[in-house]
Amino acid sequence: MSHKAGFVSIVGKPNAGKSTLMNALVGEKMSIITPKAQTTRHRIIGIVNEEEYQIIFSDTPGVIKPKYGLQESMMGMVNESLVDADIVLLVTDINERFDENDILEKIKKTSSPIAVVINKIDTSTQEEVEAKIEYWKETLNPEVIFGTSALHDYNVDAVMNFILDKLPEHPAYYEKDTLTDRNERFFVSEIIREKIFKLYQKEIPYSTEIIITAFKEEENINRISAEIIVERDSQKNILIGPGGQMLKKVGTYARKDIEEFLQKKIFLEMFVKVIPDWRNRKNYLKSFGYED
Ligand code: GDP
Ligand code: K
Ligand code: MG
């Protein structure tokens, strides 16, 4: 039986309604959502799993990369999240001014199908909606334009049908079992990765990988062990920092977010391990899930 899977990038200005739309799209089918988790390629905000498809919604991974500085650096964000999106949703508040700028140039350059979602149409007249549709036809000429009210779940199903129509044939990217600790493990490792991205210069984040080696659920606490894999002793030293200070920081920040995510107290221990040249070693890549 054929199976579809892909990444849907939701881009747009702050407060356009991206999160609200995503929640409406994911709806009851939501297997997991986190505003925190980051991956190398995408910031995953929600995954929809069905027998025949898996949709991975994501936005703005650029925010975790220090080089982009201010989170408002929307160009950077758009740039990043477009890299390998299978489908792009540009969400725009019908009331916002969307000036001509590079963002649109970047969007125009992607080869992925684009939908413009004019959101919050509950706050405007039919004429205003029509005018905006004209505007977007002229400015971007996307594959399709929707008028939605994500807040009131109006016309969100049309957006969903567009996604399902454009989703590529592909095996699932992530485990499809329902909310098990596998999923939680994945997000826990992503939270740790995010902290490493935030706390270290660029070489370190890109040469590390995180493996959750233990995830023990007790009544009042989860005991989590993680291995941080690096390629060289020098990287291990940087990660740990003088007197272990840096790693301690990673642990403190990560624990806070993981507790918020799991809604439970956790005990987190982390070990840094050197595996020379792990990127080139196939069996390791395999066990990290980069190849199937
Ligand atoms: P994001 O920053 O793009 O993720 O935007 P949010 O999803 O957080 O929404 C920003 C604000 O707009 C929130 O107060 C939402 O309740 C509101 N909002 C989102 N969608 C709609 C809509 O369709 N109609 C109206 N009236 N408000 C909306
Ligand atoms: K917001
Ligand atoms: Mg949001």
Side-chain angles (χ1 to χ4, degrees), residues 13-20 43 45 59:
K13 294 190 180 187
N15 290 322
K18 298 184 294 298
S19 301
T20 310
R43 173 183 183 217
I45 51 180
D59 71 353

Side-chain angles (χ1 to χ4, degrees), residues 7 15 30 38 56 74 101 117 141 157 160 165 176 220 229 240 244 249 264 269:
F7 289 83
N15 290 322
M30 173 180 72
Q38 310 278 353
I56 303 136
M74 186 169 155
N101 56 34
V117 179
N141 193 26
D157 51 345
M160 189 56 156
D165 187 40
K176 281 178 103 180
N220 297 315
I229 311 293
I240 293 172
K249 256 191 192 167
K264 196 169 174 184
E269 59 178 1

Side-chain angles (χ1 to χ4, degrees), residues 94-190:
I94 187 153
N95 305 298
E96 81 191 351
R97 275 184 63 87
F98 218 106
D99 299 321
E100 274 291 349
N101 56 34
D102 281 346
I103 299 159
L104 295 179
E105 292 310 311
K106 291 281 170 2
I107 292 176
K108 276 178 202 167
K109 281 192 192 125
T110 70
S111 48
S112 335
I114 301 164
V116 168
V117 179
I118 304 171
N119 191 35
K120 308 195 190 182
I121 62 168
D122 55 290
T123 64
S124 64
T125 64
Q126 182 69 31
E127 288 71 40
E128 284 167 326
V129 176
E130 276 158 21
K132 279 286 162 159
I133 290 174
E134 280 312 306
Y135 168 82
W136 282 107
K137 267 187 196 158
E138 282 166 28
T139 321
L140 190 62
N141 193 26
E143 195 144 325
V144 62
I145 302 173
F146 298 105
T148 63
S149 172
L151 190 61
H152 299 107
D153 203 10
Y154 175 77
N155 214 24
V156 172
D157 51 345
V159 180
M160 189 56 156
N161 289 337
F162 172 76
I163 293 169
L164 290 177
D165 187 40
K166 298 296 173 189
L167 208 62
E169 296 275 330
H170 198 281
Y173 288 91
Y174 300 105
E175 295 281 336
K176 281 178 103 180
D177 41 13
T178 43
L179 196 58
T180 66
D181 70 329
R182 269 203 90 90
N183 257 333
E184 292 187 344
R185 276 176 197 231
F186 167 71
F187 282 99
V188 163
S189 71
E190 293 303 314

Side-chain angles (χ1 to χ4, degrees), residues 104-291:
L104 295 179
E105 292 310 311
K106 291 281 170 2
I107 292 176
K108 276 178 202 167
K109 281 192 192 125
T110 70
S111 48
S112 335
I114 301 164
V116 168
V117 179
I118 304 171
N119 191 35
K120 308 195 190 182
I121 62 168
D122 55 290
T123 64
S124 64
T125 64
Q126 182 69 31
E127 288 71 40
E128 284 167 326
V129 176
E130 276 158 21
K132 279 286 162 159
I133 290 174
E134 280 312 306
Y135 168 82
W136 282 107
K137 267 187 196 158
E138 282 166 28
T139 321
L140 190 62
N141 193 26
E143 195 144 325
V144 62
I145 302 173
F146 298 105
T148 63
S149 172
L151 190 61
H152 299 107
D153 203 10
Y154 175 77
N155 214 24
V156 172
D157 51 345
V159 180
M160 189 56 156
N161 289 337
F162 172 76
I163 293 169
L164 290 177
D165 187 40
K166 298 296 173 189
L167 208 62
E169 296 275 330
H170 198 281
Y173 288 91
Y174 300 105
E175 295 281 336
K176 281 178 103 180
D177 41 13
T178 43
L179 196 58
T180 66
D181 70 329
R182 269 203 90 90
N183 257 333
E184 292 187 344
R185 276 176 197 231
F186 167 71
F187 282 99
V188 163
S189 71
E190 293 303 314
I191 289 169
I192 296 170
R193 186 210 304 280
E194 182 202 23
K195 299 311 164 200
I196 291 171
F197 263 90
K198 279 194 172 139
L199 289 165
Y200 300 90
Q201 301 300 319
K202 58 172 177 281
E203 184 212 330
I204 295 294
Y206 291 107
S207 38
T208 59
E209 192 57 47
I210 290 122
I211 307 173
I212 305 300
T213 49
F215 193 102
K216 249 171 64 195
E217 302 190 43
E218 294 173 13
E219 196 179 344
N220 297 315
I221 197 164
N222 280 9
R223 295 183 189 279
I224 301 171
S225 304
E227 274 178 7
I228 303 176
I229 311 293
V230 291
E231 291 175 300
R232 292 195 299 272
D233 283 328
S234 60
Q235 294 166 337
K236 178 175 174 174
N237 292 337
I238 296 170
L239 258 168
I240 293 172
Q245 271 176 30
M246 285 301 285
L247 191 62
K248 213 170 153 186
K249 256 191 192 167
V250 174
T252 306
Y253 292 139
R255 195 180 62 238
K256 197 166 159 279
D257 279 7
I258 294 167
E259 285 183 342
E260 194 181 308
F261 170 62
L262 296 173
Q263 292 292 300
K264 196 169 174 184
K265 274 230 145 336
I266 65 152
F267 172 78
L268 176 64
E269 59 178 1
M270 295 187 299
F271 306 94
V272 182
K273 196 165 153 186
V274 179
I275 302 178
D277 205 23
W278 68 257
R279 282 163 195 274
N280 296 324
R281 292 166 64 172
K282 244 191 148 152
N283 51 335
Y284 281 115
L285 288 179
K286 218 171 194 166
S287 66
F288 292 142
Y290 283 118
E291 289 178 26

Side-chain angles (χ1 to χ4, degrees), residues 28-51:
E28 309 250 297
K29 291 179 189 152
M30 173 180 72
S31 53
I32 196 162
I33 279 192
T34 168
K36 294 288 193 313
Q38 310 278 353
T39 73
T40 345
R41 302 200 311 166
H42 297 276
R43 173 183 183 217
I44 294 180
I45 51 180
I47 301 177
V48 176
N49 283 317
E50 287 291 313
E51 202 173 319

